[in-house]
Amino acid sequence: KRNISAIHLSNSMCPAHLHDKIEEIIKCLEEGKPVLCISSQLIEAGVDISFDCVIRDLAGLDSIYQAAGRCNRHGKSDSKNVYVINIKDEDLSKLPDIRAGANITRRLFDEKRNDDINLYYKYYFYSQKNEMDYNIDGGSIYDLLSGNEKRKDKQGIEPPKIRSAIRSAADEFFVIDKGHTEVVVHYGKSTELLESYNTTKDIVEKRKLLKQLGRYSISLYSYQLDKLKKNHAIDDESYKGLTVLKNSFYDEIIGLNI
């Protein structure tokens, strides 16, 4: 009724889609038009947007500060408000780090010390101290990369100098969790690029097209991919070597629609 643009941003959208929506937000703000942006954490870093007000779900204080950085970012007016809300019955069971950060932030609010980021980190690292070594069977990643006291060679003789088991650590630890699959979606120029990929026989051109298709891809967890396959939403036959989301499962507003 108030003619306000409502825009969604999340990793359920491919990079090209996100870019278009961010440009739309920037245009609205520059023209002084009201805009409501509903976003995941991706807006908290590397996105130069300045809103008049920010509402953030309870999370780690560092994340709240990042979100607050999108409020009156360019200092064009007096101070603006940032509201922190606590969504009832939110399930963070699959996001233990975020849950830990939210619990500590809640504690700081109760203690009326929510402006003390150093105290937040002190509480956070204390609560997570047993997780910081990245425990694995028989030890931890820290053990493998430091003294590695348990390491012996195939004959059971301790190595004389280099003790770090770098290869073993690399096999056990991933900055980005294993199990992700890149899936191309139908958005913008992607359908045209997919057809070109299918018809060209030039390997150099195929590589160029693959790079371009990266802007039209989303990264899915295995459980998401399994559900999509169950719903017959994945096309892994029409485009050799590529996994493609069928057109009806990608929405122009929210992106992936399982």
Side-chain angles (χ1 to χ4, degrees):
K1 289 181 179 180
R2 296 181 59 190
N3 195 29
I4 297 176
S5 296
I7 297 174
H8 166 268
L9 300 176
S10 79
N11 286 325
S12 293
M13 303 157 70
C14 67
H17 195 177
L18 283 170
H19 176 268
D20 291 345
K21 289 300 180 182
I22 289 171
E23 288 296 306
E24 185 179 342
I25 292 171
I26 292 172
K27 183 179 179 182
C28 286
L29 293 172
E30 288 178 346
E31 294 176 355
K33 296 178 180 178
V35 58
L36 175 65
C37 174
I38 300 93
S39 177
S40 66
Q41 283 183 285
L42 69 83
I43 201 172
E44 293 174 6
V47 181
D48 188 14
I49 293 179
S50 181
F51 295 101
D52 284 342
C53 176
V54 167
I55 301 172
R56 178 63 164 90
D57 181 29
L58 185 69
L61 195 60
D62 51 345
S63 293
I64 292 173
Y65 278 18
Q66 287 280 9
R70 305 296 169 261
C71 186
N72 194 27
R73 181 175 179 82
H74 303 139
K76 292 183 178 179
S77 59
D78 294 334
S79 296
K80 298 292 185 178
N81 291 326
V82 175
Y83 298 93
V84 180
I85 63 173
N86 192 3
I87 296 176
K88 184 179 180 182
D89 300 327
E90 184 178 27
D91 182 10
L92 295 176
S93 58
K94 293 184 179 180
L95 301 168
D97 291 334
I98 293 178
R99 180 174 59 188
N103 288 338
I104 293 165
T105 301
R106 187 181 293 107
R107 174 180 175 182
L108 291 175
F109 272 105
D110 291 341
E111 295 176 359
K112 301 190 186 318
R113 301 185 69 180
N114 51 286
D115 59 345
D116 192 340
I117 190 68
N118 292 323
L119 184 60
Y120 167 79
Y121 283 122
K122 181 179 179 180
Y123 286 165
Y124 180 82
F125 287 124
Y126 181 81
S127 72
Q128 298 293 93
K129 63 180 180 180
N130 293 328
E131 305 294 329
M132 292 296 180
D133 284 351
Y134 296 97
N135 295 320
I136 58 175
D137 290 339
S140 70
I141 296 297
Y142 180 81
D143 293 334
L144 293 176
L145 294 176
S146 55
N148 195 22
E149 298 297 333
K150 297 180 181 180
R151 183 182 179 189
K152 297 180 185 294
D153 65 14
K154 292 181 180 179
Q155 287 74 40
I157 302 172
E158 293 187 1
K161 292 184 179 180
I162 299 175
R163 306 184 68 88
S164 299
I166 297 172
R167 173 64 63 84
S168 298
D171 290 340
E172 294 284 352
F173 177 79
F174 297 85
V175 175
I176 300 174
D177 290 338
K178 292 186 293 183
H180 286 77
T181 300
E182 293 298 315
V183 177
V184 181
V185 303
H186 286 279
Y187 175 83
K189 296 181 179 180
S190 68
T191 304
E192 178 184 336
L193 292 171
L194 283 167
E195 293 304 322
S196 297
Y197 177 85
N198 243 13
T199 55
T200 186
K201 298 185 183 301
D202 186 335
I203 189 66
V204 175
E205 182 64 17
K206 274 189 179 293
R207 287 176 181 170
K208 181 181 176 182
L209 290 166
L210 278 174
K211 186 175 181 179
Q212 293 176 353
L213 284 168
R215 288 183 44 78
Y216 301 95
S217 301
I218 54 176
S219 185
L220 299 182
Y221 290 101
S222 56
Y223 77 88
Q224 292 175 307
L225 192 61
D226 289 344
K227 191 168 185 178
L228 286 167
K229 287 181 177 179
K230 187 177 180 180
N231 291 339
H232 307 289
I234 296 295
D235 180 357
D236 51 12
E237 296 180 357
S238 298
Y239 307 96
K240 189 174 181 180
L242 297 178
T243 303
V244 180
L245 183 72
K246 290 183 179 178
N247 196 27
S248 57
F249 288 85
Y250 193 81
D251 187 88
E252 289 288 326
I253 296 175
I254 64 170
L256 174 66
N257 186 348
I258 291 179

